PDB file of all heavy atoms in Angstrom:
ATOM      1  N   ILE J 132     107.099 107.240 101.604  1.00  0.00           N
ATOM      2  CA  ILE J 132     106.517 105.899 101.460  1.00  0.00           C
ATOM      3  C   ILE J 132     105.076 105.888 101.944  1.00  0.00           C
ATOM      4  O   ILE J 132     104.180 105.336 101.287  1.00  0.00           O
ATOM      5  CB  ILE J 132     107.359 104.869 102.238  1.00  0.00           C
ATOM      6  CG1 ILE J 132     108.713 104.666 101.546  1.00  0.00           C
ATOM      7  CG2 ILE J 132     106.622 103.529 102.341  1.00  0.00           C
ATOM      8  CD1 ILE J 132     109.703 103.862 102.374  1.00  0.00           C
ATOM      9  N   LEU J 133     104.825 106.532 103.090  1.00  0.00           N
ATOM     10  CA  LEU J 133     103.475 106.555 103.644  1.00  0.00           C
ATOM     11  C   LEU J 133     102.517 107.344 102.752  1.00  0.00           C
ATOM     12  O   LEU J 133     101.375 106.922 102.525  1.00  0.00           O
ATOM     13  CB  LEU J 133     103.491 107.154 105.055  1.00  0.00           C
ATOM     14  CG  LEU J 133     104.118 106.282 106.143  1.00  0.00           C
ATOM     15  CD1 LEU J 133     104.164 107.040 107.462  1.00  0.00           C
ATOM     16  CD2 LEU J 133     103.356 104.968 106.300  1.00  0.00           C
ATOM     17  N   ALA J 134     102.967 108.493 102.242  1.00  0.00           N
ATOM     18  CA  ALA J 134     102.092 109.316 101.390  1.00  0.00           C
ATOM     19  C   ALA J 134     101.683 108.556 100.140  1.00  0.00           C
ATOM     20  O   ALA J 134     100.504 108.542  99.747  1.00  0.00           O
ATOM     21  CB  ALA J 134     102.793 110.620 101.027  1.00  0.00           C
ATOM     22  N   ILE J 135     102.651 107.900  99.497  1.00  0.00           N
ATOM     23  CA  ILE J 135     102.338 107.145  98.281  1.00  0.00           C
ATOM     24  C   ILE J 135     101.525 105.897  98.622  1.00  0.00           C
ATOM     25  O   ILE J 135     100.534 105.573  97.954  1.00  0.00           O
ATOM     26  CB  ILE J 135     103.632 106.765  97.537  1.00  0.00           C
ATOM     27  CG1 ILE J 135     104.364 108.025  97.067  1.00  0.00           C
ATOM     28  CG2 ILE J 135     103.316 105.863  96.341  1.00  0.00           C
ATOM     29  CD1 ILE J 135     105.730 107.758  96.468  1.00  0.00           C
ATOM     30  N   GLY J 136     101.925 105.187  99.683  1.00  0.00           N
ATOM     31  CA  GLY J 136     101.231 103.960 100.047  1.00  0.00           C
ATOM     32  C   GLY J 136      99.787 104.194 100.450  1.00  0.00           C
ATOM     33  O   GLY J 136      98.892 103.460 100.038  1.00  0.00           O
ATOM     34  N   VAL J 137      99.553 105.260 101.241  1.00  0.00           N
ATOM     35  CA  VAL J 137      98.203 105.528 101.744  1.00  0.00           C
ATOM     36  C   VAL J 137      97.306 106.111 100.661  1.00  0.00           C
ATOM     37  O   VAL J 137      96.179 105.646 100.454  1.00  0.00           O
ATOM     38  CB  VAL J 137      98.259 106.475 102.965  1.00  0.00           C
ATOM     39  CG1 VAL J 137      96.855 106.931 103.360  1.00  0.00           C
ATOM     40  CG2 VAL J 137      98.946 105.799 104.139  1.00  0.00           C
ATOM     41  N   PHE J 138      97.806 107.134  99.948  1.00  0.00           N
ATOM     42  CA  PHE J 138      96.928 107.867  99.027  1.00  0.00           C
ATOM     43  C   PHE J 138      96.964 107.326  97.595  1.00  0.00           C
ATOM     44  O   PHE J 138      95.916 107.202  96.956  1.00  0.00           O
ATOM     45  CB  PHE J 138      97.310 109.356  99.018  1.00  0.00           C
ATOM     46  CG  PHE J 138      97.006 110.057 100.308  1.00  0.00           C
ATOM     47  CD1 PHE J 138      98.003 110.294 101.238  1.00  0.00           C
ATOM     48  CD2 PHE J 138      95.720 110.459 100.606  1.00  0.00           C
ATOM     49  CE1 PHE J 138      97.733 110.931 102.437  1.00  0.00           C
ATOM     50  CE2 PHE J 138      95.421 111.101 101.803  1.00  0.00           C
ATOM     51  CZ  PHE J 138      96.439 111.335 102.728  1.00  0.00           C
ATOM     52  N   ILE J 139      98.161 107.020  97.076  1.00  0.00           N
ATOM     53  CA  ILE J 139      98.270 106.636  95.662  1.00  0.00           C
ATOM     54  C   ILE J 139      97.999 105.147  95.448  1.00  0.00           C
ATOM     55  O   ILE J 139      97.390 104.763  94.444  1.00  0.00           O
ATOM     56  CB  ILE J 139      99.659 107.033  95.110  1.00  0.00           C
ATOM     57  CG1 ILE J 139      99.791 108.569  95.113  1.00  0.00           C
ATOM     58  CG2 ILE J 139      99.871 106.476  93.712  1.00  0.00           C
ATOM     59  CD1 ILE J 139     101.113 109.084  94.588  1.00  0.00           C
ATOM     60  N   ILE J 140      98.434 104.309  96.390  1.00  0.00           N
ATOM     61  CA  ILE J 140      98.182 102.871  96.238  1.00  0.00           C
ATOM     62  C   ILE J 140      96.855 102.487  96.889  1.00  0.00           C
ATOM     63  O   ILE J 140      95.916 102.057  96.212  1.00  0.00           O
ATOM     64  CB  ILE J 140      99.339 102.036  96.828  1.00  0.00           C
ATOM     65  CG1 ILE J 140     100.671 102.419  96.158  1.00  0.00           C
ATOM     66  CG2 ILE J 140      99.048 100.547  96.636  1.00  0.00           C
ATOM     67  CD1 ILE J 140     100.735 102.178  94.671  1.00  0.00           C
ATOM     68  N   ALA J 141      96.732 102.661  98.208  1.00  0.00           N
ATOM     69  CA  ALA J 141      95.527 102.195  98.908  1.00  0.00           C
ATOM     70  C   ALA J 141      94.303 103.049  98.588  1.00  0.00           C
ATOM     71  O   ALA J 141      93.265 102.531  98.165  1.00  0.00           O
ATOM     72  CB  ALA J 141      95.784 102.176 100.418  1.00  0.00           C
ATOM     73  N   GLY J 142      94.408 104.362  98.777  1.00  0.00           N
ATOM     74  CA  GLY J 142      93.250 105.223  98.552  1.00  0.00           C
ATOM     75  C   GLY J 142      92.789 105.227  97.109  1.00  0.00           C
ATOM     76  O   GLY J 142      91.606 105.012  96.818  1.00  0.00           O
ATOM     77  N   HIS J 143      93.725 105.470  96.193  1.00  0.00           N
ATOM     78  CA  HIS J 143      93.375 105.548  94.767  1.00  0.00           C
ATOM     79  C   HIS J 143      92.752 104.249  94.282  1.00  0.00           C
ATOM     80  O   HIS J 143      91.669 104.245  93.681  1.00  0.00           O
ATOM     81  CB  HIS J 143      94.627 105.874  93.959  1.00  0.00           C
ATOM     82  CG  HIS J 143      94.447 105.759  92.482  1.00  0.00           C
ATOM     83  ND1 HIS J 143      93.622 106.592  91.761  1.00  0.00           N
ATOM     84  CD2 HIS J 143      94.976 104.891  91.573  1.00  0.00           C
ATOM     85  CE1 HIS J 143      93.647 106.260  90.494  1.00  0.00           C
ATOM     86  NE2 HIS J 143      94.457 105.227  90.351  1.00  0.00           N
ATOM     87  N   HIS J 144      93.411 103.132  94.547  1.00  0.00           N
ATOM     88  CA  HIS J 144      92.919 101.869  94.004  1.00  0.00           C
ATOM     89  C   HIS J 144      91.711 101.347  94.774  1.00  0.00           C
ATOM     90  O   HIS J 144      90.849 100.678  94.183  1.00  0.00           O
ATOM     91  CB  HIS J 144      94.047 100.838  93.982  1.00  0.00           C
ATOM     92  CG  HIS J 144      95.102 101.150  92.973  1.00  0.00           C
ATOM     93  ND1 HIS J 144      96.200 101.941  93.260  1.00  0.00           N
ATOM     94  CD2 HIS J 144      95.209 100.826  91.659  1.00  0.00           C
ATOM     95  CE1 HIS J 144      96.945 102.074  92.177  1.00  0.00           C
ATOM     96  NE2 HIS J 144      96.365 101.412  91.190  1.00  0.00           N
ATOM     97  N   GLY J 145      91.625 101.632  96.076  1.00  0.00           N
ATOM     98  CA  GLY J 145      90.431 101.228  96.808  1.00  0.00           C
ATOM     99  C   GLY J 145      89.179 101.854  96.226  1.00  0.00           C
ATOM    100  O   GLY J 145      88.194 101.162  95.925  1.00  0.00           O
ATOM    101  N   PHE J 146      89.200 103.176  96.040  1.00  0.00           N
ATOM    102  CA  PHE J 146      88.042 103.863  95.450  1.00  0.00           C
ATOM    103  C   PHE J 146      87.814 103.426  94.004  1.00  0.00           C
ATOM    104  O   PHE J 146      86.670 103.246  93.571  1.00  0.00           O
ATOM    105  CB  PHE J 146      88.242 105.377  95.498  1.00  0.00           C
ATOM    106  CG  PHE J 146      88.011 105.990  96.855  1.00  0.00           C
ATOM    107  CD1 PHE J 146      89.009 106.713  97.484  1.00  0.00           C
ATOM    108  CD2 PHE J 146      86.793 105.852  97.492  1.00  0.00           C
ATOM    109  CE1 PHE J 146      88.801 107.283  98.735  1.00  0.00           C
ATOM    110  CE2 PHE J 146      86.563 106.423  98.747  1.00  0.00           C
ATOM    111  CZ  PHE J 146      87.581 107.132  99.369  1.00  0.00           C
ATOM    112  N   LEU J 147      88.910 103.269  93.237  1.00  0.00           N
ATOM    113  CA  LEU J 147      88.787 102.904  91.826  1.00  0.00           C
ATOM    114  C   LEU J 147      88.115 101.540  91.669  1.00  0.00           C
ATOM    115  O   LEU J 147      87.171 101.382  90.873  1.00  0.00           O
ATOM    116  CB  LEU J 147      90.158 102.886  91.165  1.00  0.00           C
ATOM    117  CG  LEU J 147      90.216 102.398  89.712  1.00  0.00           C
ATOM    118  CD1 LEU J 147      89.413 103.315  88.796  1.00  0.00           C
ATOM    119  CD2 LEU J 147      91.663 102.288  89.223  1.00  0.00           C
ATOM    120  N   TYR J 148      88.568 100.551  92.425  1.00  0.00           N
ATOM    121  CA  TYR J 148      88.018  99.200  92.295  1.00  0.00           C
ATOM    122  C   TYR J 148      86.576  99.148  92.774  1.00  0.00           C
ATOM    123  O   TYR J 148      85.746  98.441  92.186  1.00  0.00           O
ATOM    124  CB  TYR J 148      88.874  98.195  93.060  1.00  0.00           C
ATOM    125  CG  TYR J 148      90.139  97.767  92.336  1.00  0.00           C
ATOM    126  CD1 TYR J 148      91.050  98.696  91.864  1.00  0.00           C
ATOM    127  CD2 TYR J 148      90.420  96.422  92.130  1.00  0.00           C
ATOM    128  CE1 TYR J 148      92.209  98.306  91.216  1.00  0.00           C
ATOM    129  CE2 TYR J 148      91.580  96.014  91.482  1.00  0.00           C
ATOM    130  CZ  TYR J 148      92.468  96.971  91.024  1.00  0.00           C
ATOM    131  OH  TYR J 148      93.609  96.582  90.367  1.00  0.00           O
ATOM    132  N   LEU J 149      86.252  99.883  93.853  1.00  0.00           N
ATOM    133  CA  LEU J 149      84.868  99.944  94.303  1.00  0.00           C
ATOM    134  C   LEU J 149      83.988 100.597  93.237  1.00  0.00           C
ATOM    135  O   LEU J 149      82.879 100.141  92.960  1.00  0.00           O
ATOM    136  CB  LEU J 149      84.772 100.722  95.619  1.00  0.00           C
ATOM    137  CG  LEU J 149      85.293 100.018  96.870  1.00  0.00           C
ATOM    138  CD1 LEU J 149      85.306 100.987  98.046  1.00  0.00           C
ATOM    139  CD2 LEU J 149      84.445  98.790  97.201  1.00  0.00           C
ATOM    140  N   GLY J 150      84.495 101.684  92.640  1.00  0.00           N
ATOM    141  CA  GLY J 150      83.724 102.389  91.621  1.00  0.00           C
ATOM    142  C   GLY J 150      83.529 101.582  90.360  1.00  0.00           C
ATOM    143  O   GLY J 150      82.449 101.606  89.746  1.00  0.00           O
ATOM    144  N   GLN J 151      84.553 100.811  89.986  1.00  0.00           N
ATOM    145  CA  GLN J 151      84.449 100.044  88.741  1.00  0.00           C
ATOM    146  C   GLN J 151      83.527  98.835  88.863  1.00  0.00           C
ATOM    147  O   GLN J 151      83.289  98.145  87.866  1.00  0.00           O
ATOM    148  CB  GLN J 151      85.840  99.614  88.256  1.00  0.00           C
ATOM    149  CG  GLN J 151      86.513 100.677  87.417  1.00  0.00           C
ATOM    150  CD  GLN J 151      87.568 100.110  86.480  1.00  0.00           C
ATOM    151  OE1 GLN J 151      88.720 100.507  86.532  1.00  0.00           O
ATOM    152  NE2 GLN J 151      87.185  99.192  85.607  1.00  0.00           N
ATOM    153  N   GLN J 152      83.002  98.591  90.038  1.00  0.00           N
ATOM    154  CA  GLN J 152      81.930  97.601  90.129  1.00  0.00           C
ATOM    155  C   GLN J 152      80.673  98.103  89.437  1.00  0.00           C
ATOM    156  O   GLN J 152      79.806  97.317  89.067  1.00  0.00           O
ATOM    157  CB  GLN J 152      81.589  97.328  91.604  1.00  0.00           C
ATOM    158  CG  GLN J 152      82.655  96.621  92.396  1.00  0.00           C
ATOM    159  CD  GLN J 152      82.195  96.379  93.822  1.00  0.00           C
ATOM    160  OE1 GLN J 152      81.924  95.254  94.212  1.00  0.00           O
ATOM    161  NE2 GLN J 152      82.097  97.443  94.598  1.00  0.00           N
ATOM    162  N   HIS J 153      80.569  99.427  89.263  1.00  0.00           N
ATOM    163  CA  HIS J 153      79.336 100.044  88.773  1.00  0.00           C
ATOM    164  C   HIS J 153      79.502 100.789  87.452  1.00  0.00           C
ATOM    165  O   HIS J 153      78.504 101.157  86.839  1.00  0.00           O
ATOM    166  CB  HIS J 153      78.790 101.016  89.817  1.00  0.00           C
ATOM    167  CG  HIS J 153      78.718 100.440  91.197  1.00  0.00           C
ATOM    168  ND1 HIS J 153      77.938  99.344  91.505  1.00  0.00           N
ATOM    169  CD2 HIS J 153      79.341 100.800  92.351  1.00  0.00           C
ATOM    170  CE1 HIS J 153      78.075  99.056  92.792  1.00  0.00           C
ATOM    171  NE2 HIS J 153      78.918  99.913  93.320  1.00  0.00           N
ATOM    172  N   VAL J 154      80.738 101.042  87.019  1.00  0.00           N
ATOM    173  CA  VAL J 154      80.954 101.743  85.747  1.00  0.00           C
ATOM    174  C   VAL J 154      81.989 100.977  84.933  1.00  0.00           C
ATOM    175  O   VAL J 154      82.891 100.352  85.501  1.00  0.00           O
ATOM    176  CB  VAL J 154      81.426 103.204  85.966  1.00  0.00           C
ATOM    177  CG1 VAL J 154      80.367 104.012  86.680  1.00  0.00           C
ATOM    178  CG2 VAL J 154      82.733 103.255  86.735  1.00  0.00           C
ATOM    179  N   PRO J 155      81.886 100.984  83.604  1.00  0.00           N
ATOM    180  CA  PRO J 155      82.853 100.258  82.765  1.00  0.00           C
ATOM    181  C   PRO J 155      84.238 100.891  82.811  1.00  0.00           C
ATOM    182  O   PRO J 155      84.402 102.068  83.175  1.00  0.00           O
ATOM    183  CB  PRO J 155      82.245 100.347  81.369  1.00  0.00           C
ATOM    184  CG  PRO J 155      81.332 101.524  81.412  1.00  0.00           C
ATOM    185  CD  PRO J 155      80.815 101.606  82.810  1.00  0.00           C
ATOM    186  N   GLY J 156      85.241 100.101  82.428  1.00  0.00           N
ATOM    187  CA  GLY J 156      86.617 100.557  82.487  1.00  0.00           C
ATOM    188  C   GLY J 156      86.888 101.792  81.651  1.00  0.00           C
ATOM    189  O   GLY J 156      87.644 102.686  82.065  1.00  0.00           O
TER     190      GLY J 156
END
């Protein structure tokens, strides 16, 4: 649960959403 929650949900989407402020989908 921690591995998926930290890296796949929080880490992946945190970086993705920050990055998509500057690049198109």
